[in-house]
Amino acid sequence: MFSPALWLLLLFQSPAPFVQVPAGTYTVGQKGSLQNPLRQVKTAGFEMAATELTNAAFAEFIAATGYITDAEKFRNALVFEPGLAEFRWLEDSTASWRYPNGKSRGGSKPDHPVTTISYRDAEAYCQWAKVRLPTLDEWEIASRAGASTLYYWGEKTDQIRDYANIWHGRNHLVADSSDGYMYTSPVGRFRPNAWGLYDMYGNVFELCAGRLPGEKNIAHARGGSWWCSKNACNFFNSVNIGRVHPRASFSNQGFRVVKQTRANEAVPAAPTHARLKKDNKNSCCLLGGTAK
């Protein structure tokens, strides 16, 4: 938890800078992808936060409004600890943005991205801060930074260690801190993309607005997370789209914000093969796995 002195310091911190994404027509998606087919979309331009929203910024929202997150309200969030089989997570009644992996695993850190919040929580923050979540297409335009490849540097994963906080271990049975972090890292600790946006891949899955056709009661997130590895949930790229229940709270799930709202998204065809395994408040699929 934050000390009183730190609270005062955080309340007067400047918000994260925004990067201007100019109006224009952009190529998104991937040839052959059912979920995210190759296509062109137009945008009137928007500004995207250079980093993911931090715990410090979210703390300002909580202090001003007294808002109670879904994880606190339902006393149910999904957390991880090394030793779990692939795609298995723990349900923890003590976990929330204040204790992202549960009280027994330590409190949140001011300069790390806020996690263990739901899509509904992210929307509440945006309403208070007079910003919004990026659409699926806006996130991808910003992530690509003008590139047409799977990653904004090309097609190979060999540079991922420079740009993203991900899981480098062979599996999740043994802790991996080979890049300096087992869970989240401070925002902006890794190299930015060509437009100056940090952590577009890895660190936390970033919630986005909008639905794919045919879906109900589903939220989406993009970019992969600290939990994602090349052998499991390798969504740390500009193409894949994760899915989660709007009330679900994971310790690898966060968001960044945009300004200058525009209704400019052309959504792709709905997938027919991927469905949620459970449909309760904490069910999940592609963000990380299933509850143990």
Side-chain angles (χ1 to χ4, degrees), residues 35 212-220 235 241-245 270-280 283-287 289-290:
Q35 184 188 52
L212 303 181
E215 291 183 332
K216 295 181 180 179
N217 210 24
I218 293 292
H220 295 93
F235 277 23
I241 302 173
R243 308 164 74 232
V244 69
H245 192 281
T272 58
H273 60 284
R275 301 185 62 179
L276 285 174
K277 293 183 178 180
K278 296 192 297 182
D279 191 23
N280 58 33
S283 65
C284 71
C285 49
L286 298 181
L287 289 191
T290 55

Side-chain angles (χ1 to χ4, degrees), residues 86 167-174 176 229-232:
E86 294 296 70
W167 192 271
H168 296 279
R170 183 182 183 86
N171 54 47
H172 290 81
L173 297 176
V174 179
D176 171 51
S229 73
K230 66 178 182 180
N231 299 318

Side-chain angles (χ1 to χ4, degrees), residues 72-125:
E72 295 167 300
K73 189 182 306 178
F74 298 128
R75 297 185 182 279
N76 193 328
L78 289 170
V79 306
F80 172 79
E81 65 179 6
L84 293 174
E86 294 296 70
F87 294 100
R88 303 297 298 184
W89 288 59
L90 300 174
E91 292 188 32
D92 192 322
S93 63
T94 71
S96 70
W97 73 275
R98 303 174 194 273
Y99 300 97
N101 285 288
K103 284 188 176 181
S104 65
R105 301 173 186 86
S108 64
K109 299 175 181 176
D111 56 348
H112 285 230
V114 63
T115 64
T116 323
I117 46 87
S118 70
Y119 183 84
R120 301 300 186 197
D121 299 330
E123 283 190 316
Y125 172 87

Side-chain angles (χ1 to χ4, degrees), residues 131-199:
V131 292
R132 62 179 175 82
L133 294 174
T135 66
L136 292 168
D137 284 348
E138 286 173 340
W139 187 95
E140 184 166 335
I141 291 168
S143 167
R144 290 181 176 278
S148 60
T149 47
L150 181 62
Y151 308 100
Y152 43 71
W153 59 78
E155 295 290 354
K156 297 182 179 179
T157 61
D158 52 355
Q159 296 185 55
I160 191 68
R161 186 178 290 273
D162 295 332
Y163 290 94
N165 171 24
I166 66 168
W167 192 271
H168 296 279
R170 183 182 183 86
N171 54 47
H172 290 81
L173 297 176
V174 179
D176 171 51
S177 300
S178 60
D179 61 2
Y181 307 97
M182 187 171 71
Y183 298 111
T184 58
S185 66
V187 298
R189 188 56 55 91
F190 291 77
R191 293 178 61 183
N193 70 6
W195 288 357
L197 295 160
Y198 294 85
D199 302 311

Side-chain angles (χ1 to χ4, degrees), residues 225-255:
S225 76
W226 56 263
W227 185 91
C228 293
S229 73
K230 66 178 182 180
N231 299 318
C233 184
N234 58 346
F235 277 23
F236 38 82
N237 59 60
S238 295
V239 174
N240 291 128
I241 302 173
R243 308 164 74 232
V244 69
H245 192 281
R247 293 288 188 187
S249 301
F250 283 82
S251 61
N252 69 335
Q253 176 178 301
F255 64 103

